[in-house]
């Protein structure tokens, strides 16, 4: 496989990720996905550089602290606009570009894989709620609905859509929370005694991207260490 990695401004991190990938032919591309024009241009740049795309993983996202009773109205508006455009609208835009490209192929690559796959990274917050960042929870709930809607629409064309919903993960975005005063309370939610490792979420995404059966299209897979269980 050849991998196209997207980043917005953390070039150092993407260079480290590229260096860690086995094989050759990988590339990185910068873009501000909150701009629909840049999202479209990003897709075209990847196609021009690497050719047809078999798998899209929508993982870009942001979390803005905006508790309802402590946030000024203008800041509230800004938090919602920034969060929804990055966490929901951008994946929707890239998904439709991918779907139209994948579905236009003459034949599926294989009966099991289909013509292409889209994997969206959601959150347990879509189900549990995020009291200090309600726009984040709403955006991820919308991403779940987007995934399921696209799955129903694209299944006849052998394009499969999956969604992975992690809980807390050892990432840069979570560090300040895990190491701050709320850290012990966050850990107390986790029967494993720790939050998710990044490789655990990545392995779930890779499973969906490569090996999950077509019959699982439209599924939302919880990866949260039993920190939140839903029925």
């Amino acid at each position: 496989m050849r991998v196209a990695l997207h980043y917005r401004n953390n070039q150092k991190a993407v260079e480290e990720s590229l260096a860690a990938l086995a094989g050759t032919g990988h590339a990185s591309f910068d873009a501000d996905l909150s701009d629909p024009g840049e999202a479209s241009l990003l897709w075209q740049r990847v196609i021009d550089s690497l050719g047809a795309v078999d798998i899209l993983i929508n993982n870009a996202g942001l979390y803005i602290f905006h508790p309802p009773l402590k946030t000024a109205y203008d800041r509230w508006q800004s938090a919602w606009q920034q969060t929804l455009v990055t966490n929901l609208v951008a994946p929707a835009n890239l998904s439709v570009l991918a779907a139209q490209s994948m579905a236009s192929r003459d034949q599926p690559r294989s009966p099991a894989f289909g013509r292409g796959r889209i994997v969206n990274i959601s959150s347990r917050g879509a189900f549990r709620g995020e009291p200090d960042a309600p726009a984040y929870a709403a955006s991820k709930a919308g991403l779940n609905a987007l995934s399921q809607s696209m799955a129903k629409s694209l299944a006849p064309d052998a394009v499969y859509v999956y969604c992975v919903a992690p809980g807390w993960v050892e990432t840069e975005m979570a560090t300040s929370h895990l190491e701050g005063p709320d850290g012990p309370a966050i850990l107390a939610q986790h029967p494993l005694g720790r939050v998710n490792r990044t490789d655990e979420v990545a392995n779930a995404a890779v499973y969906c991207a490569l090996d999950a059966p077509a019959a699982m299209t439209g599924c939302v897979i919880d990866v949260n260490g039993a920190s939140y269980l839903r029925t």
Side-chain angles (χ1 to χ4, degrees), residues 190-215:
H190 295 75
L192 292 177
R194 61 170 177 81
V195 300
N196 294 335
R197 300 192 310 267
T198 54
D199 65 292
E200 292 174 317
V201 180
N203 287 341
V206 169
Y207 171 72
C208 292
L210 298 178
D211 299 317

Side-chain angles (χ1 to χ4, degrees), residues 2 43-54 101 105:
R2 290 179 299 159
W43 181 261
Q44 191 59 52
R45 289 166 60 202
V46 173
I47 294 293
D48 291 344
S49 177
L50 301 182
V53 172
D54 297 301
S101 174
R105 298 177 184 176

Side-chain angles (χ1 to χ4, degrees), residues 133-159:
Y136 180 84
S139 70
K140 294 302 186 178
L143 188 61
N144 292 348
L146 169 70
S147 302
Q148 294 173 331
S149 297
M150 296 288 277
K152 290 178 72 70
S153 177
L154 301 176
D157 293 287
V159 177

Side-chain angles (χ1 to χ4, degrees), residues 75-110:
R75 176 60 177 164
W76 176 267
Q77 292 293 310
S78 174
W80 275 88
Q81 291 169 4
Q82 292 180 63
T83 301
L84 290 179
V85 75
T86 300
N87 293 9
L88 180 56
V89 177
N93 290 339
L94 288 174
S95 292
V96 76
L97 292 167
Q100 291 172 358
S101 174
M102 294 170 179
S104 66
R105 298 177 184 176
D106 293 334
Q107 295 292 333
R109 190 177 76 175
S110 73

Side-chain angles (χ1 to χ4, degrees), residues 3 42-43 47 56 59 76 98 107 117 155 176 180 183 187-188 206 211-212 223:
V3 179
L42 169 66
W43 181 261
I47 294 293
L56 168 67
N59 186 46
W76 176 267
Q107 295 292 333
R117 296 185 172 212
S176 61
L187 285 178
V206 169
D211 299 317
V223 184

